[in-house]
Amino acid sequence: MGLKEKRIIQAFQKEVFPQLETEINRAAGYTVPLQIEWNTLMEDRFSHLYNETFPKIYFLPLIEAFKVVCEDAMGVELLKGGLKSVVIVNENDEHNLERAITFEEGILKINHGPVVNADKVEERAERITSLLEEKLEEFAEETTETATASTSDTAAGDEQKDAGESTVTIQEMYNQSIALSLEKQEIFDELVKDLGWSFDMLEGKVTFGDDKVFDIQVLGTYSENEKSWLWAWANNQSGIPEKFLQTSQAVQALGKACNIEDFIAPKFEIDSDPGIYFATIASVMANESCYLALPFKGITVYVTITSEEVESKVRTAPALLCSHFTFIAANYSFPHKYSLYFYLKKKGYEVELPGNNIIAQKGEDQILGIFDLKGRLMKLSNSKITVQA
């Protein structure tokens, strides 16, 4: 490797990789052990493409695969238990997927050339997903008896541990919240469409037009200049009244309860703005109506909103619930079956999971969701339950 290639790879490590690593860990729900042999990731004459091809070949497929595998707590725990490390290396400029990506003895190895076939992100993600689902399930079958036997011993020997400790991940929280959040955001956006706004942080109000005034809670801020996120509960310089920090403090408490570092760290650097991701979770978990991003020069302030008008317009008719969910399933990336389950629970339905389907009932109304083997929505319909006399 020449000096030029070394400098380019070093710049990638410092400027691009940290954000990718954050996304990998966020998708997995924990810190994934990564072993990257940077000095092998080179191909003569193509070093000018590394910033584009490295993410596509080595990191984006991992992120997408982990999102699929870790859509719920069971997936996260399987990955933690079965994945010892991820090794990224280029030993022989391999481009064939079956030879380039392997999962043996708990080690996921991506031994792929750094340039050729870069755009085949989806194919690599599917290969990784398939390997993990197959091998991790084998691991689970082999260790179920041991894990079950050790559960009672662990509980008996650790009496001080909180028996109700949650294992929910930040990605699960997002997946549980996205459907309801998008519904309420759509309602709010229609209410304030084309209206100018003003923000009074000291009064805890945001006003659209002349008379649409909403109570707010300040969640946090993203600085485009610093590339950093700051939670409102940790913002000691802006003079935010304590009564408008309740939602951000609730998020902090949730982070402590579930050991979610992004909710606990007062401030952290991140290249892309996480505000919408965080606000989606916070607005639903804290039973707020919606959220709002307020752009100022170099900084975006995220607030959650309480609105009786928004709440009065939320969907209740089964046909509208089905229509909304079908639309967002076609336009957003999230685990359909998992998210529909929580969306319907929040709508007051009793939800069952027969086979690979969802059947939800509320009074005489019934909703049926049919999914493929990967939990992707195939059909969503509603009907009335007929009671025989």
Coordinates of all heavy atoms in Angstrom, one line a residue, residues 140-189:
A140 N -29.1 -21.2 18.8 CA -30.2 -21.1 19.8 C -30.7 -22.5 20.2 O -30.9 -22.8 21.4 CB -31.4 -20.3 19.3
E141 N -30.8 -23.4 19.2 CA -31.3 -24.7 19.5 C -30.3 -25.5 20.3 O -30.6 -26.3 21.2 CB -31.5 -25.5 18.1 CG -32.7 -24.9 17.3 CD -32.7 -25.6 15.9 OE1 -31.9 -26.4 15.6 OE2 -33.7 -25.2 15.2
E142 N -29.0 -25.3 20.1 CA -28.0 -26.0 20.8 C -27.9 -25.5 22.3 O -27.4 -26.2 23.2 CB -26.6 -25.8 20.1 CG -26.5 -26.5 18.8 CD -25.3 -26.1 18.0 OE1 -24.5 -25.3 18.6 OE2 -25.1 -26.6 16.9
T143 N -28.2 -24.2 22.5 CA -28.0 -23.7 23.9 C -29.2 -23.4 24.7 O -29.2 -23.0 25.8 CB -27.3 -22.3 23.7 OG1 -28.1 -21.4 22.9 CG2 -25.9 -22.5 23.1
T144 N -30.4 -23.8 24.1 CA -31.7 -23.5 24.8 C -31.7 -24.2 26.2 O -32.0 -23.6 27.2 CB -32.9 -24.0 24.0 OG1 -32.9 -23.2 22.8 CG2 -34.2 -23.8 24.8
E145 N -31.3 -25.5 26.2 CA -31.4 -26.3 27.5 C -30.4 -25.7 28.5 O -30.7 -25.5 29.7 CB -31.0 -27.7 27.2 CG -32.1 -28.4 26.4 CD -31.8 -29.9 26.2 OE1 -30.7 -30.4 26.8 OE2 -32.5 -30.6 25.5
T146 N -29.2 -25.3 28.1 CA -28.2 -24.7 29.0 C -28.7 -23.4 29.5 O -28.6 -23.1 30.7 CB -26.9 -24.5 28.3 OG1 -26.4 -25.8 27.8 CG2 -25.8 -23.9 29.2
A147 N -29.3 -22.6 28.7 CA -29.8 -21.3 29.1 C -30.9 -21.4 30.1 O -31.0 -20.7 31.1 CB -30.2 -20.4 27.9
T148 N -31.8 -22.4 29.8 CA -33.0 -22.6 30.7 C -32.5 -23.1 32.1 O -33.0 -22.6 33.1 CB -33.9 -23.6 30.1 OG1 -34.3 -23.1 28.8 CG2 -35.1 -23.8 31.0
A149 N -31.5 -24.0 32.1 CA -31.1 -24.5 33.3 C -30.4 -23.5 34.2 O -30.4 -23.5 35.4 CB -30.1 -25.7 33.0
S150 N -29.7 -22.6 33.5 CA -28.9 -21.6 34.2 C -29.7 -20.4 34.7 O -29.3 -19.6 35.6 CB -27.8 -21.0 33.4 OG -28.3 -20.3 32.3
T151 N -31.0 -20.2 34.2 CA -31.8 -19.1 34.5 C -32.1 -19.0 36.0 O -31.9 -18.0 36.7 CB -33.1 -19.1 33.7 OG1 -32.8 -19.0 32.3 CG2 -34.0 -17.9 34.1
S152 N -32.5 -20.2 36.6 CA -32.9 -20.2 38.0 C -31.6 -19.9 38.9 O -31.7 -19.3 39.9 CB -33.5 -21.5 38.4 OG -32.7 -22.6 38.0
D153 N -30.5 -20.5 38.5 CA -29.3 -20.3 39.2 C -28.8 -18.9 39.2 O -28.4 -18.3 40.3 CB -28.1 -21.2 38.6 CG -28.4 -22.7 38.8 OD1 -29.2 -23.0 39.6 OD2 -27.8 -23.4 38.0
T154 N -29.0 -18.2 38.1 CA -28.6 -16.8 38.0 C -29.5 -16.0 38.9 O -29.0 -15.1 39.6 CB -28.7 -16.3 36.5 OG1 -27.8 -17.1 35.7 CG2 -28.3 -14.9 36.4
A155 N -30.8 -16.2 38.8 CA -31.7 -15.5 39.6 C -31.5 -15.6 41.1 O -31.5 -14.7 41.9 CB -33.2 -15.9 39.3
A156 N -31.2 -16.9 41.5 CA -30.9 -17.1 42.9 C -29.6 -16.5 43.4 O -29.5 -16.1 44.6 CB -30.9 -18.7 43.2
G157 N -28.6 -16.4 42.5 CA -27.3 -15.9 43.0 C -27.2 -14.4 42.8 O -26.2 -13.9 43.0
D158 N -28.3 -13.8 42.3 CA -28.2 -12.3 42.0 C -29.5 -11.7 42.5 O -30.2 -11.0 41.7 CB -28.0 -12.1 40.5 CG -27.6 -10.7 40.1 OD1 -27.3 -10.0 41.0 OD2 -27.7 -10.4 38.9
E159 N -29.7 -11.8 43.8 CA -31.0 -11.3 44.4 C -31.1 -9.8 44.2 O -32.2 -9.3 44.3 CB -31.1 -11.7 45.8 CG -31.1 -13.2 46.0 CD -31.2 -13.6 47.4 OE1 -31.0 -12.7 48.3 OE2 -31.3 -14.8 47.7
Q160 N -30.0 -9.1 44.1 CA -30.1 -7.6 44.1 C -30.4 -7.1 42.7 O -30.7 -5.9 42.5 CB -28.8 -7.0 44.5 CG -28.4 -7.3 46.0 CD -27.1 -6.7 46.4 OE1 -26.3 -6.3 45.6 NE2 -26.9 -6.6 47.7
K161 N -30.4 -8.0 41.7 CA -30.7 -7.5 40.3 C -32.2 -7.3 40.2 O -33.0 -8.0 40.7 CB -30.2 -8.6 39.3 CG -30.5 -8.1 37.9 CD -29.9 -9.1 36.9 CE -30.1 -8.7 35.5 NZ -29.6 -9.7 34.5
D162 N -32.5 -6.2 39.5 CA -33.9 -5.9 39.3 C -34.6 -6.9 38.4 O -34.2 -7.1 37.2 CB -34.0 -4.5 38.6 CG -35.5 -4.1 38.4 OD1 -36.4 -4.8 38.8 OD2 -35.7 -3.0 37.8
A163 N -35.6 -7.7 38.9 CA -36.2 -8.7 38.2 C -37.0 -8.2 37.0 O -37.2 -8.9 36.0 CB -37.1 -9.5 39.1
G164 N -37.4 -6.9 37.0 CA -38.1 -6.4 35.9 C -37.3 -5.6 34.9 O -37.8 -4.9 34.1
E165 N -36.0 -5.8 34.9 CA -35.1 -5.1 34.0 C -35.5 -5.4 32.6 O -35.7 -6.5 32.1 CB -33.7 -5.6 34.3 CG -32.7 -4.8 33.4 CD -31.2 -5.2 33.7 OE1 -31.0 -6.0 34.6 OE2 -30.4 -4.8 32.9
S166 N -35.6 -4.3 31.8 CA -36.0 -4.5 30.4 C -34.9 -4.7 29.5 O -33.8 -4.2 29.7 CB -36.8 -3.2 30.0 OG -37.1 -3.2 28.6
T167 N -35.1 -5.5 28.4 CA -34.1 -5.7 27.4 C -34.4 -5.1 26.1 O -33.8 -5.3 25.1 CB -33.9 -7.3 27.2 OG1 -35.2 -7.8 26.7 CG2 -33.5 -8.0 28.5
V168 N -35.4 -4.2 26.1 CA -35.8 -3.5 24.9 C -34.7 -2.6 24.4 O -34.0 -2.0 25.1 CB -37.1 -2.7 25.1 CG1 -36.8 -1.5 26.0 CG2 -37.7 -2.2 23.8
T169 N -34.5 -2.6 23.0 CA -33.4 -1.9 22.4 C -34.0 -0.6 21.8 O -35.2 -0.4 21.7 CB -32.7 -2.7 21.3 OG1 -33.7 -2.8 20.2 CG2 -32.3 -4.0 21.8
I170 N -33.1 0.3 21.5 CA -33.6 1.6 20.9 C -34.2 1.4 19.6 O -35.2 2.0 19.2 CB -32.4 2.6 20.8 CG1 -32.9 4.0 20.4 CG2 -31.3 2.1 19.8 CD1 -31.8 5.0 20.4
Q171 N -33.7 0.4 18.8 CA -34.4 0.1 17.5 C -35.8 -0.5 17.7 O -36.7 -0.2 16.9 CB -33.5 -0.9 16.7 CG -34.0 -1.1 15.2 CD -34.0 0.2 14.4 OE1 -33.1 1.0 14.5 NE2 -35.0 0.4 13.6
E172 N -35.9 -1.3 18.7 CA -37.3 -1.9 19.0 C -38.2 -0.7 19.4 O -39.4 -0.7 18.9 CB -37.2 -2.9 20.1 CG -36.6 -4.2 19.7 CD -36.6 -5.2 20.9 OE1 -35.9 -4.9 21.9 OE2 -37.2 -6.3 20.8
M173 N -37.7 0.2 20.2 CA -38.6 1.3 20.5 C -39.0 2.1 19.3 O -40.2 2.5 19.2 CB -37.8 2.3 21.5 CG -37.6 1.7 22.9 SD -36.7 2.9 23.9 CE -36.4 1.9 25.3
Y174 N -38.1 2.3 18.4 CA -38.4 3.0 17.1 C -39.5 2.2 16.3 O -40.4 2.8 15.8 CB -37.2 3.2 16.3 CG -37.4 3.9 15.0 CD1 -37.6 5.3 14.9 CD2 -37.5 3.2 13.8 CE1 -37.8 5.9 13.7 CE2 -37.7 3.8 12.6 CZ -37.9 5.2 12.5 OH -38.1 5.8 11.3
N175 N -39.2 0.9 16.2 CA -40.1 0.1 15.4 C -41.5 0.0 16.0 O -42.5 -0.1 15.3 CB -39.6 -1.3 15.3 CG -38.3 -1.3 14.4 OD1 -38.1 -0.5 13.6 ND2 -37.5 -2.3 14.6
Q176 N -41.6 0.1 17.4 CA -42.9 0.1 18.1 C -43.6 1.4 17.9 O -44.8 1.5 18.0 CB -42.7 -0.2 19.6 CG -42.2 -1.6 19.9 CD -41.8 -1.7 21.4 OE1 -42.3 -0.9 22.2 NE2 -41.1 -2.7 21.7
S177 N -42.9 2.5 17.6 CA -43.5 3.8 17.6 C -43.8 4.3 16.2 O -44.6 5.2 16.1 CB -42.5 4.8 18.3 OG -42.1 4.4 19.6
I178 N -43.1 3.8 15.2 CA -43.1 4.5 13.9 C -44.5 4.6 13.3 O -44.9 5.7 12.7 CB -42.1 3.8 12.9 CG1 -42.1 4.6 11.6 CG2 -42.5 2.3 12.7 CD1 -41.0 4.1 10.6
A179 N -45.3 3.6 13.3 CA -46.6 3.7 12.7 C -47.6 4.7 13.3 O -48.2 5.5 12.6 CB -47.3 2.3 12.7
L180 N -47.6 4.8 14.6 CA -48.5 5.8 15.3 C -47.9 7.2 15.1 O -48.6 8.1 14.9 CB -48.6 5.4 16.7 CG -49.6 6.4 17.5 CD1 -51.0 6.4 16.9 CD2 -49.6 5.9 19.0
S181 N -46.6 7.3 15.2 CA -45.9 8.6 15.0 C -46.2 9.1 13.6 O -46.6 10.3 13.5 CB -44.4 8.5 15.2 OG -43.8 9.7 15.0
L182 N -46.1 8.3 12.6 CA -46.3 8.8 11.2 C -47.7 9.2 11.0 O -48.0 10.2 10.3 CB -45.9 7.7 10.2 CG -44.4 7.5 10.0 CD1 -44.2 6.3 9.2 CD2 -43.7 8.7 9.4
E183 N -48.7 8.5 11.6 CA -50.1 8.9 11.5 C -50.3 10.3 12.1 O -50.9 11.2 11.5 CB -50.9 7.9 12.3 CG -52.4 8.3 12.3 CD -53.3 7.4 13.2 OE1 -52.9 6.2 13.4 OE2 -54.3 7.9 13.7
K184 N -49.8 10.5 13.3 CA -50.0 11.8 14.0 C -49.3 12.9 13.3 O -49.7 14.1 13.3 CB -49.6 11.7 15.5 CG -50.6 10.8 16.3 CD -50.3 10.9 17.8 CE -51.3 10.1 18.6 NZ -51.0 10.2 20.0
Q185 N -48.1 12.6 12.8 CA -47.3 13.7 12.0 C -48.1 14.1 10.8 O -48.1 15.3 10.5 CB -45.9 13.1 11.6 CG -45.0 12.9 12.8 CD -44.7 14.2 13.6 OE1 -44.8 14.2 14.8 NE2 -44.4 15.3 12.9
E186 N -48.7 13.2 10.1 CA -49.5 13.5 8.9 C -50.7 14.4 9.3 O -50.9 15.4 8.6 CB -50.0 12.2 8.3 CG -50.9 12.5 7.1 CD -51.5 11.2 6.5 OE1 -50.9 10.1 6.7 OE2 -52.6 11.3 5.9
I187 N -51.3 14.2 10.4 CA -52.4 15.0 10.9 C -51.9 16.4 11.2 O -52.5 17.4 10.8 CB -53.1 14.3 12.1 CG1 -53.8 13.0 11.7 CG2 -54.1 15.3 12.7 CD1 -54.2 12.2 12.9
F188 N -50.8 16.5 12.0 CA -50.3 17.8 12.4 C -49.8 18.6 11.1 O -50.1 19.8 11.1 CB -49.1 17.6 13.3 CG -48.5 18.9 13.8 CD1 -49.1 19.6 14.7 CD2 -47.3 19.3 13.2 CE1 -48.6 20.8 15.2 CE2 -46.7 20.5 13.7 CZ -47.4 21.3 14.6
D189 N -49.1 17.9 10.2 CA -48.7 18.6 9.0 C -49.8 19.2 8.2 O -49.7 20.3 7.7 CB -47.9 17.7 8.1 CG -46.5 17.3 8.7 OD1 -46.1 17.9 9.7 OD2 -45.9 16.3 8.3

